[in-house]
Amino acid sequence: MQDIDKLAASVLAEGRMEGLPDGHFIGGKYVRGSANAFLESFDPGTAAAFASFSAGTADDVDQAVNSARDAFFTVWRDTAPAERGRILQRASALILENLARLAVVESLDSGKPLQEAIGDVRGAARAFEYYAGACDKLQGDSFPLGSRHFGYSIHEPVGVTAHIIPWNYPISTAARGIAPALAAGCTVVAKPAETTPFTALMLAEILSQAGLPDGVCNVVTGRGAEAGAPLTRHPGVDHITFTGSVATGQRVMQAASVEVTRVLLELGGKSPVIVLDDCDRESALQGVMGAIFENAGQICSAGSRLVIERGIHGDFVAELAKRAESLKIGHGLRRPDFGPVNSALQLERISGFVERTREAGRQIATGGEVCTDPETGKGWFYQPTIIDAAQPDDEVVREEIFGPVLTVQVAEDADHALELANDCQYGLVAGIYTGSFDRAHRLARAIDAGQVFINEYFAGGIEVPFGGNRRSGFGREKGLEGLKSYCKTKSIAARIG
Ligand code: ADP
């Protein structure tokens, strides 16, 4: 940990970081983009540019897809599953060896507090460890066709997989898609977000050091329209994993329809946290705080709607507001409780939502203003914000804000809480805090969400399948189900007598 803080302090002092890659990673090495054009990456904690990276084009994407196709047919598809597992296991160890640099880059590039970035890097290592162990356990079935026939199934890799990665969890989203894809025998072209390009590149380099053959994992950086869109249209891509906004997800789905390419979409959320009056108050308070203020609320599965029983509402919200006000705000590399948001655009979006709510006469219990790092007066920060007594039709209750803004809705009882929770266009996650086993599981069954957390928001890890319902998307990542997302099942039936 000392190394990490030393590195963080020197990066903070210099305002830049030496040795970051500025090419795409294609065919096992860094290559210059065909346009020789660059974009700048900004430190959200100071709003200053700290490094540049290649602005990818359709030609770069074409080169990366061709490289992934070659590698699929000539080497990776036929690499023994146990050998794939060894490479992924080595990658996991190497990610941990590079923890300090990866975490500092992730914090600098995304803005998130360093301790959260460290958790994300550990999570990425864990994803590779988990799928390393799964490579040689991808078993098929046999079918009872009687004595004259023999039927069985095998799970074949889908081929070249595209991974379009968002800016809120760059390395962990990359890892949770790339690790199972490689485990299944697929090859990869990843496109990180234009505000957080670096850790995906570093991950590809680490995979190469771990022994991954050239061309199996490629990364093209650049803007969505210029580098992302050509990837979603490319006829050489067999599957697309997209994590991002609903609007972009719809574009990806449309583009994929031309070649009938498979898609896995992990889109937005507006996840409810139901707090019933028989809950353990302290764990509910901690859970709700983490659910909305971790990563400044920029989490697709953020618990952004508190639905709370009337009996405890007043005291609970007063205590939440007190805790929100006491969060230490600051530059991510200084390990604050609460960091900046990722971009000026994001800050503007969040601020717009809250201003419209204020104009509509809703009560802002705390926060509600743009702010800066108190130490430097710089950066893109938004105060931890709680909007009390929100109504089901309020824009802030219905739309994903993707920032540190919690709405509070009052429920008369558990059934009313369920009704409010399900009154939503999204269905990604839900949280439940109650001391009653029966109520917890009755609600968990009745809530329309891909995953439900009981008495600990964000419980679980890479073992637990993750994905959305309704406008939150479809398909599942993580767990063994995530591995199957990168496979196509082939059934074979034969007459044997
Ligand atoms: P945001 O609007 O918050 O930036 P997006 O959903 O647009 O979020 O971005 C998520 C990822 O999708 C990023 O890597 C971005 O570059 C990429 N992207 C944006 N537009 C497109 C597009 N038309 N086709 C493919 N990828 C895109």
Side-chain angles (χ1 to χ4, degrees):
M1 286 300 153
Q2 246 178 348
D3 281 358
I4 297 185
D5 287 302
K6 238 196 243 162
L7 181 60
S10 82
V11 168
L12 252 181
E14 286 168 29
R16 56 201 305 275
M17 196 156 176
E18 295 303 323
L20 289 174
D22 66 356
H24 307 301
F25 195 85
I26 299 175
K29 57 181 187 304
Y30 286 113
V31 298
R32 272 283 156 99
S34 59
N36 210 23
F38 295 89
L39 299 168
E40 286 186 313
S41 196
F42 289 79
D43 168 3
T46 60
F50 70 91
S52 53
F53 60 96
S54 285
T57 62
D59 285 345
D60 301 328
V61 167
D62 199 42
Q63 202 189 329
V65 172
N66 289 338
S67 157
R69 274 206 96 64
D70 272 5
F72 179 72
F73 287 111
T74 61
V75 49
W76 195 240
R77 180 182 64 166
D78 299 319
T79 297
E83 176 57 14
R84 282 187 216 140
R86 281 179 215 116
I87 294 171
L88 296 200
Q89 191 66 57
R90 280 199 293 274
S92 173
L94 279 173
I95 291 169
L96 292 177
E97 272 176 37
N98 287 277
L99 180 102
R101 197 166 160 78
L102 285 166
V104 168
V105 172
E106 191 78 328
S107 171
L108 184 65
D109 215 7
S110 69
K112 69 176 63 196
L114 184 57
Q115 67 277 16
E116 291 184 23
I118 291 169
D120 293 356
V121 175
R122 288 194 193 286
R126 173 74 189 117
F128 279 92
E129 180 184 56
Y130 177 80
Y131 287 111
C135 293
D136 53 2
K137 295 161 193 80
L138 244 184
Q139 293 161 185
D141 278 325
S142 64
F143 308 114
L145 298 179
S147 59
R148 292 173 159 245
H149 292 86
F150 173 49
Y152 65 102
S153 66
I154 51 176
H155 300 296
E156 297 179 329
V158 296
V160 174
T161 61
H163 300 254
I164 298 182
I165 299 164
W167 45 260
N168 58 337
Y169 283 87
I171 194 166
S172 57
T173 312
R176 82 176 182 206
I178 293 173
L182 296 178
C186 297
T187 56
V188 166
V189 179
K191 208 299 282 174
E194 49 271 53
T195 59
T196 53
F198 294 112
T199 49
L201 290 166
M202 293 161 80
L203 182 60
E205 193 182 345
I206 285 173
L207 280 162
S208 187
Q209 287 162 5
L212 195 73
D214 293 349
V216 176
C217 180
N218 308 274
V219 177
V220 176
T221 57
R223 292 198 181 94
E226 291 152 17
L231 190 55
T232 60
R233 292 194 294 263
H234 201 292
V237 168
D238 301 294
H239 166 106
I240 303 164
T241 292
F242 171 81
T243 308
S245 62
V246 176
T248 307
Q250 288 167 326
R251 260 177 244 132
V252 168
M253 207 171 162
Q254 262 170 356
S257 74
V258 175
E259 296 286 338
V260 197
T261 306
R262 299 159 58 120
V263 286
L264 190 163
L265 299 179
E266 205 263 272
L267 308 178
K270 191 74 194 177
S271 300
V273 188
I274 296 179
V275 175
L276 300 182
D277 56 11
D278 61 356
C279 70
D280 177 292
R281 208 65 63 91
E282 183 52 34
S283 62
L285 281 162
Q286 285 181 21
V288 172
M289 287 291 291
I292 187 62
F293 297 133
E294 193 175 297
N295 201 21
Q298 303 165 114
I299 315 180
C300 47
S301 53
S304 52
R305 291 188 293 141
L306 170 61
V307 178
I308 186 162
E309 268 195 296
R310 187 175 292 286
I312 54 169
H313 160 248
D315 288 350
F316 195 92
V317 173
E319 178 60 24
L320 269 185
K322 201 166 101 194
R323 293 187 187 199
E325 284 155 22
S326 71
L327 290 176
K328 189 163 64 72
I329 297 180
H331 191 289
L333 288 178
R334 262 190 252 115
R335 294 186 185 250
D337 298 326
F338 183 86
V341 298
N342 182 247
S343 64
L345 180 68
Q346 198 52 26
L347 188 61
E348 202 181 302
R349 275 189 198 151
I350 297 165
S351 175
F353 273 109
V354 178
E355 283 320 307
R356 289 191 293 279
T357 304
R358 208 192 301 275
E359 279 159 25
R362 289 282 174 263
Q363 191 188 334
I364 314 283
T366 188
E369 301 291 342
V370 170
C371 60
T372 53
D373 179 354
E375 214 161 292
T376 62
K378 295 181 186 164
W380 297 311
F381 291 81
Y382 199 86
Q383 291 177 335
T385 298
I386 300 175
I387 298 170
D388 200 4
Q391 297 303 312
D393 289 335
D394 289 353
E395 185 196 28
V396 276
V397 171
R398 304 209 77 77
E399 302 294 330
E400 181 177 43
I401 299 174
F402 223 66
V405 180
L406 177 72
T407 61
V408 182
Q409 291 172 270
V410 182
E412 302 307 331
D413 53 27
D415 285 338
H416 186 211
L418 176 65
E419 190 188 312
L420 291 171
N422 274 343
D423 181 14
C424 180
Q425 57 183 331
Y426 295 104
L428 191 56
V429 160
I432 301 169
Y433 283 86
T434 173
S436 154
F437 183 89
D438 291 6
R439 292 216 284 180
H441 289 281
R442 187 171 64 76
L443 289 174
R445 297 274 180 104
I447 282 174
D448 190 358
Q451 41 279 306
V452 179
F453 302 129
I454 298 174
N455 290 335
E456 187 190 313
Y457 206 84
F458 298 134
I462 190 71
E463 304 85 349
V464 185
F466 179 83
N469 299 343
R470 292 184 280 171
R471 286 168 79 87
S472 293
F474 55 85
R476 292 293 179 265
E477 301 196 81
K478 303 186 7 183
L480 293 180
E481 220 172 310
L483 188 58
K484 298 268 174 71
S485 298
Y486 296 98
C487 298
K488 44 190 186 184
T489 301
K490 179 180 278 175
S491 315
I492 299 166
R495 173 149 184 137
I496 54 174

